[in-house]
Amino acid sequence: MFFRLLFAWMLVTVTLTTNLPAQRPEKLDYAIAIHGGAGLEPDKLNADQKQAQEAALRKALDVGRRILADGGTALDAVEQTIRVLEDDPLYNAGKGAVFNSAGEHELDASIMDGANLQAGAVAGVTTVKNPISLARLVMTETRHVLLQGGGAEKFADEMHDQPQIARVPNEYFSTEARRQDWQAAVEKEKERQKQANKNRMGTVGCVALDKHGNLAAGTSTGGLTNKKWGRVGDSPIIGAGTYANNETCAVSCTGTGEYFIRNCIAFHVHALMAYQGKTVDEALVYLTEKVLEPDIGGLIAVDHLGNISMHTNTPGMARAAADSTGKVEVKLAR
Ligand code: ASP
């Protein structure tokens, strides 16, 4: 009888265990994932363009990976990695940001510390070279979470002695490629109002787990091509485009921001994990397949053990990941 019971118990255990999605049992030393935006259409890229995308992702990923490998904090890894992506004209963040309907650039960024749920964000900044660093100062130097427009610019004036806050004229963010995208969007908008939503690509984000067990997330963007002046997307909204909580995961989103705001996507990942016991991968699959409409966007996340998940429901999303096992992954297509 005893052996029969033992056998039955073993059978149930094995069945349950094999049904569980692959989850590592112990925390990795560190893990990091980045994205360079949903909306990328890898089929339309030639070999040189694909190579340029992959090289840019590897370069940024390596900056964050080294910080984490040296025992640095997840917050530093996120900020420094995003600065590299902001300075790269390939991405729609910092240099290379999209044009709004007035032919100018308004940038959004946010950062969150999973250790204490502190967060900082800026929206609609026009002269701050690296908005992610200003977002971090909102977190550490003010009692607020989000500063926008003129107020965020004034705060940047106050932070003039901080070397990470360089100021640039608004034209610094312009690139010829983005100007052409904008002009094409203006033309298409005349035919079809909805087309502007398609013109997103190149937002950047980073999520990281450090050796101290802390998670952090950050996102930076120029928003949507031809967006209305004053429009704020999900990227600077904590809980929509960015979220981090040591209890569960760190998340950064990309895609048509309005959908991410309506569905509180970044917090939604945390909630699915905390309240329903979903794995980080199950949460991302559920959100991209069941909650967001097709072709709206994607997200990256790392959980408190170092499991990385990256999913999109668009044809492509530039993304890369690395962890302390030596794994390095770079992907463009869905
Ligand atoms: N989510 C960004 C926004 O709506 C755009 C993007 O990720 O491509 O502003």
Side-chain angles (χ1 to χ4, degrees):
M1 179 65 183
F2 171 76
F3 285 108
R4 235 191 264 162
L5 276 175
L6 184 68
F7 179 71
W9 174 79
M10 279 167 64
L11 198 68
V12 167
T13 312
V14 168
T15 316
L16 284 178
T17 325
T18 45
N19 278 342
L20 286 175
Q23 269 281 83
R24 69 188 71 256
E26 282 167 17
K27 177 193 170 298
L28 285 180
D29 250 8
Y30 62 85
I32 180 167
I34 64 174
H35 69 74
L40 187 74
E41 292 176 290
D43 292 351
K44 294 193 179 155
L45 300 180
N46 63 34
D48 285 351
Q49 289 169 321
K50 271 190 192 156
Q51 210 186 6
Q53 280 282 349
E54 288 174 4
L57 288 170
R58 280 182 199 280
K59 180 178 155 201
L61 184 73
D62 208 46
V63 168
R65 192 193 56 73
R66 277 168 199 265
I67 291 172
L68 297 170
D70 291 347
T73 67
L75 268 181
D76 283 342
V78 165
E79 181 187 358
Q80 296 307 324
T81 303
I82 290 182
R83 283 179 68 96
V84 174
L85 294 163
E86 286 177 335
D87 290 343
D88 191 326
L90 266 187
Y91 299 106
N92 172 21
K95 177 83 185 163
V98 297
F99 286 78
N100 67 8
S101 62
E104 291 162 356
H105 308 279
E106 293 175 310
L107 294 88
D108 303 336
S110 66
I111 193 162
M112 185 163 185
D113 184 350
N116 49 22
L117 306 191
Q118 292 291 311
V122 291
V125 292
T126 53
T127 68
V128 178
K129 182 167 173 274
N130 292 105
I132 194 70
S133 293
L134 191 63
R136 185 167 178 180
L137 288 171
V138 171
M139 174 172 81
T140 55
E141 306 304 313
T142 80
R143 60 198 166 85
H144 307 301
V145 169
L146 172 59
L147 293 179
Q148 61 81 34
E153 292 286 328
K154 269 194 193 146
F155 177 60
D157 294 345
E158 280 180 13
M159 294 291 113
H160 65 90
D161 54 339
Q162 303 280 341
Q164 71 275 36
I165 303 301
R167 307 297 283 280
V168 289
N170 195 250
E171 306 81 67
Y172 158 82
F173 301 112
S174 303
T175 61
E176 197 39 43
R178 295 294 186 203
R179 187 181 300 279
Q180 284 173 14
D181 286 350
W182 173 53
Q183 278 158 359
V186 170
E187 286 310 310
K188 279 181 188 155
E189 179 123 0
K190 286 180 194 155
E191 300 157 24
R192 196 155 63 98
Q193 196 73 16
K194 251 186 104 186
Q195 188 63 31
N197 279 344
K198 292 270 175 204
N199 278 297
R200 40 142 222 232
M201 186 204 297
T203 288
V204 303
C206 179
V207 294
L209 167 72
D210 65 26
K211 288 186 174 177
H212 320 283
N214 291 322
L215 290 165
T219 312
S220 182
T221 189
L224 300 181
T225 302
N226 206 29
K227 65 185 180 181
K228 270 215 190 313
W229 22 254
R231 178 263 186 191
V232 175
D234 60 314
S235 307
I237 307 293
I238 298 301
T242 302
Y243 194 73
N245 187 326
N246 276 7
E247 209 188 295
T248 53
C249 63
V251 186
S252 172
C253 303
T254 173
T256 308
E258 284 70 11
Y259 292 80
F260 286 79
I261 295 173
R262 290 184 198 116
N263 293 291
C264 305
I265 292 292
F267 180 81
H268 215 140
V269 179
H270 160 78
L272 288 168
M273 293 177 72
Y275 309 145
Q276 285 196 1
K278 289 217 189 299
T279 66
V280 67
D281 203 56
E282 286 171 337
L284 264 61
V285 168
Y286 176 76
L287 292 169
T288 48
E289 289 181 7
K290 303 267 190 280
V291 175
L292 290 169
E293 286 170 36
D295 202 20
I296 288 301
L299 53 161
I300 59 171
V302 59
D303 76 7
H304 61 296
L305 298 176
N307 294 291
I308 287 171
S309 179
M310 308 190 279
H311 285 279
T312 185
N313 63 25
T314 56
M317 176 171 78
R319 58 199 183 280
D323 67 31
S324 52
T325 65
K327 161 186 134 163
V328 176
E329 188 188 348
V330 179
K331 267 183 110 174
L332 302 182
R334 183 173 176 172

